[in-house]
């Protein structure tokens, strides 16, 4: 057990004017004291810097406990019930993942389990750990660092859309009824969204590990890539707040992004060429690739669902790969295009990537719903694993790309260096 080495004082977080470096474009500016109603955005790249919200730990803990109480119901109770070939079949989240693990492949099932169960569970558990750990004097840094990265992996909303798509696919064979678990699931999803909106990690850092900003020339201040602290490294080169080694740019950002992107491109071939779902009707095997699945949805009159699945499973992964390739090329070749447009593109990529998991959620649900042995059964094809791996890798590629490298490439290309602009405090 490590006791925090910084004494927690009654300092009001974000209550004083201080210098802040933008984590997305590296501009240094003066951040005024933030009122509860205000959110600060970077004056150059418009990245959200921090908000003045300050929910007390009591409120956050109460919400976390409510999520934990709802979770067993939401995960194990049936979300929907169908009557298929004279039998009532229940589909719950846990059951879908379990069917995928035993009938399909445990790796794909663990990807679905991580996004739909693991990551949403980690959020309330982390908040309880913060509350209890602070009380017992435990090291809270790893949990605060993890909370920073957790948001994009919580995919409860994507799962709900997956449930709607599965219902539309199943309605050709069966009557559908709402299960009791669905109410608990929707309540849990709303509470998790409120937690994500109200959770102010910058405030939590300042509450548990307040570190004063050194009084030096502003341009000497560095940003910690892990916790977004703006200051100077300690004598061992570490961030005084989170104890991670401080570096000017995210270490090995381009190499890691390229590695994840190339692996994702390789995986996208089998993901699109091999069958992703297999349906057995009276012993006859019918295979569907991602594309043929979309076509059969469209021809069976489910055009809106076909469009959703097409966007999530085909358009988004391919657009993401092409857009990332383009952004990496502009960094390497120092191509000077609108930085605001490229920053916007990177943010959109970060937001849309998680929606590609939709198809895997639909498959997990269909596997637990349509399972009548020889008569009618649905199972996943080999492409599901490659597709899931490609989605995970593209999400990681976007996360690993340090957007400040775009600004660096722009600054080195232009004769008039941007750094002069960076050191000037913004109003
Ligand atoms: Zn910025
Ligand atoms: Zn740090």
């Amino acid at each position: 057990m490590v006791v925090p080495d910084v004494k927690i004082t009654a300092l009001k977080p974000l209550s004083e004017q201080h210098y802040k470096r933008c984590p997305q474009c590296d501009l240094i500016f003066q951040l005024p004291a933030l009122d509860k109603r205000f959110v600060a955005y970077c004056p150059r790249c418009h990245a959200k810097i921090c908000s003045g919200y300050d929910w007390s730990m009591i409120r956050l803990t109460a919400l976390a406990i409510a999520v934990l109480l709802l979770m067993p119901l939401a995960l194990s109770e049936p979300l929907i019930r169908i009557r298929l070939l004279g039998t009532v079949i229940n589909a719950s989240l846990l059951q879908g993942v379990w069917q995928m693990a035993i009938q399909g492949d445990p790796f794909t099932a663990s990807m679905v389990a991580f996004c739909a169960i693991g990551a949403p569970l980690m959020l309330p558990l982390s908040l309880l750990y913060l509350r209890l750990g602070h009380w017992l004097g435990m090291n809270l840094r790893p949990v605060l660092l993890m909370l920073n990265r957790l948001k994009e992996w919580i995919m409860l909303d994507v799962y709900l859309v997956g449930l709607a798509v599965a219902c539309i696919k199943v309605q050709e064979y069966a009557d559908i009824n709402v299960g009791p678990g669905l109410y608990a699931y929707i309540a849990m999803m709303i509470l998790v969204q409120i937690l994500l909106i109200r959770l102010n990690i910058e405030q939590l850092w300042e509450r548990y590990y307040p570190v004063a900003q050194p009084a030096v020339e502003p341009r000497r201040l560095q940003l910690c890539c892990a916790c977004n602290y703006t200051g100077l490294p300690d004598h061992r080169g570490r961030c005084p707040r989170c104890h991670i080694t401080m570096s000017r740019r995210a270490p090995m950002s381009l190499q890691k992004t390229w590695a994840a992107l190339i692996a994702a491109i390789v995986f996208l071939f089998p993901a699109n060429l091999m069958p992703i779902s297999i349906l057995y009707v009276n012993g006859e095997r019918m295979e569907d690739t991602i594309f043929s699945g979309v076509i059969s949805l469209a021809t069976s009159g489910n055009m809106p669902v076909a469009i959703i699945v097409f966007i999530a499973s085909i358009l988004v992964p391919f657009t993401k790969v092409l857009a990332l390739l383009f952004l990496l090329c502009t960094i390497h070749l120092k191509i000077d295009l609108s930085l605001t447009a490229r920053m916007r593109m990177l943010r959109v990529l970060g937001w849309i990537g998680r929606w590609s998991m939709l198809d895997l959620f639909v498959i997990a649900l269909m596997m637990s719903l349509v399972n009548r042995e020889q008569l009618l059964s649905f199972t996943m094809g080999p492409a599901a694993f490659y597709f899931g791996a490609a989605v995970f890798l593209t999400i990681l590629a976007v996360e690993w790309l340090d957007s400040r490298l775009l600004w660096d490439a722009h600054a080195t290309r232009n004769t008039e260096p941007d750094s002069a602009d960076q050191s000037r405090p913004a109003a």
Side-chain angles (χ1 to χ4, degrees):
M1 190 192 298
V2 183
V3 178
D5 53 6
V6 182
K7 196 176 179 297
I8 291 169
T9 60
L11 180 110
K12 269 193 177 173
L14 304 181
S15 58
E16 287 165 24
Q17 176 162 303
H18 60 289
Y19 282 99
K20 194 87 194 153
R21 233 179 227 289
C22 169
Q24 295 193 14
C25 74
D26 214 30
L27 176 81
I28 184 120
F29 56 90
Q30 268 187 329
L31 185 71
L34 273 189
D35 191 79
K36 271 184 182 165
R37 296 163 296 151
F38 294 114
V39 178
Y41 291 91
C42 168
R44 185 164 69 171
C45 75
H46 310 296
K48 186 178 169 185
I49 302 295
C50 60
S51 60
Y53 295 150
D54 189 17
W55 263 28
S56 67
M57 267 320 273
I58 297 173
R59 268 203 218 180
L60 291 173
T61 315
L63 226 59
I65 292 172
V67 171
L68 285 177
L69 290 175
L70 283 169
M71 208 166 247
L73 294 174
L75 297 185
S76 61
E77 286 297 309
L79 297 171
I80 48 171
R81 274 200 183 111
I82 63 163
R83 185 175 282 279
L84 182 69
L85 307 172
T87 328
V88 174
I89 305 174
N90 294 318
S92 70
L93 208 163
L94 275 179
Q95 206 183 0
V97 173
W98 180 243
Q99 284 292 338
M100 205 172 208
I102 53 169
Q103 276 185 40
D105 130 67
F107 292 111
T108 319
S110 55
M111 289 185 223
V112 172
F114 176 69
C115 301
I117 304 170
L121 181 64
M122 262 142 80
L123 178 70
L125 288 181
S126 310
L127 289 169
L128 291 186
Y129 178 89
L130 287 181
R131 180 111 181 107
L132 209 68
H134 171 51
W135 193 46
L136 295 171
M138 290 155 83
N139 182 11
L140 310 178
R141 291 184 183 93
V143 174
L144 286 167
L145 287 171
M146 192 261 300
L147 273 176
N148 238 351
R149 310 250 176 267
L150 196 61
K151 193 173 180 178
E152 59 209 312
W153 297 101
I154 298 178
M155 302 190 190
L156 293 176
D157 45 350
V158 184
Y159 191 87
L160 195 67
V161 177
L163 185 70
V165 173
C167 283
I168 294 167
K169 278 190 165 188
V170 164
Q171 72 178 4
E172 316 176 12
Y173 319 108
D175 301 324
I176 305 164
N177 289 306
V178 170
L182 189 63
Y183 301 108
Y185 182 87
I186 292 174
M188 177 182 82
M189 189 191 79
I190 293 171
L191 292 183
V192 166
Q193 290 302 326
I194 296 174
L195 267 182
L196 286 175
I197 293 168
R198 289 295 169 175
L199 187 67
N200 190 339
I201 296 167
E202 186 61 29
Q203 291 275 19
L204 291 179
W205 274 111
E206 294 210 13
R207 185 177 295 157
Y208 294 124
Y209 298 102
V211 181
Q213 195 163 63
V216 292
E217 202 190 341
R219 65 191 308 173
R220 281 186 57 209
L221 295 172
Q222 282 185 37
L223 178 89
C224 167
C225 298
C227 75
N228 291 349
Y229 165 74
T230 305
L232 291 178
D234 64 8
H235 64 285
R236 289 164 68 184
R238 301 180 316 169
C239 164
R241 190 161 82 169
C242 72
H243 292 181
I244 303 279
T245 309
M246 258 172 129
S247 52
R248 243 189 101 250
R249 295 290 175 264
M252 311 285 277
S253 164
L254 287 177
Q255 289 89 335
K256 286 194 314 195
T257 311
W258 271 115
L261 185 63
I262 292 168
I265 294 170
V266 171
F267 281 146
L268 274 178
F269 284 100
N272 282 281
L273 297 174
M274 290 166 101
I276 196 159
S277 60
I278 301 161
L279 185 68
Y280 290 93
V281 185
N282 295 323
E284 194 193 337
R285 184 184 162 106
M286 286 150 71
E287 292 181 347
D288 258 330
T289 60
I290 297 177
F291 190 70
S292 69
V294 173
I295 297 292
S296 61
L297 268 172
T299 48
S300 63
N302 291 320
M303 206 44 154
V305 186
I307 293 171
I308 293 173
V309 176
F310 173 77
I311 292 174
S313 306
I314 299 175
L315 195 67
V316 168
F318 281 98
T319 316
K320 226 176 144 176
V321 162
L322 291 176
L324 268 172
L325 277 174
F326 165 74
L327 289 175
L328 285 168
C329 288
T330 62
I331 294 174
H332 285 292
L333 306 172
K334 298 190 172 49
I335 298 169
D336 204 17
L337 288 163
S338 163
L339 271 168
T340 351
R342 280 184 287 160
M343 288 302 290
R344 206 171 294 145
M345 189 191 247
L346 195 57
R347 279 178 211 140
V348 172
L349 290 183
W351 182 81
I352 57 169
R354 52 207 285 285
W355 285 93
S356 300
M357 282 300 283
L358 182 77
D359 223 14
L360 287 190
F361 294 156
V362 175
I363 291 170
L365 279 159
M366 292 286 284
M367 279 174 82
S368 63
L369 282 173
V370 187
N371 188 12
R372 291 289 88 203
E373 305 288 321
Q374 293 297 311
L375 289 173
L376 186 63
S377 102
F378 182 95
T379 189
M380 59 179 251
F385 167 74
Y386 298 108
F387 182 73
V391 173
F392 263 59
L393 284 164
T394 49
I395 295 177
L396 287 174
V398 173
E399 199 181 307
W400 285 336
L401 182 61
D402 189 341
S403 56
R404 291 170 296 174
L405 296 172
L406 292 167
W407 295 84
D408 291 349
H410 171 80
T412 47
R413 192 184 184 280
N414 285 348
T415 42
E416 196 185 308
D418 218 3
S419 52
D421 190 47
Q422 284 180 23
S423 60
R424 196 179 63 227

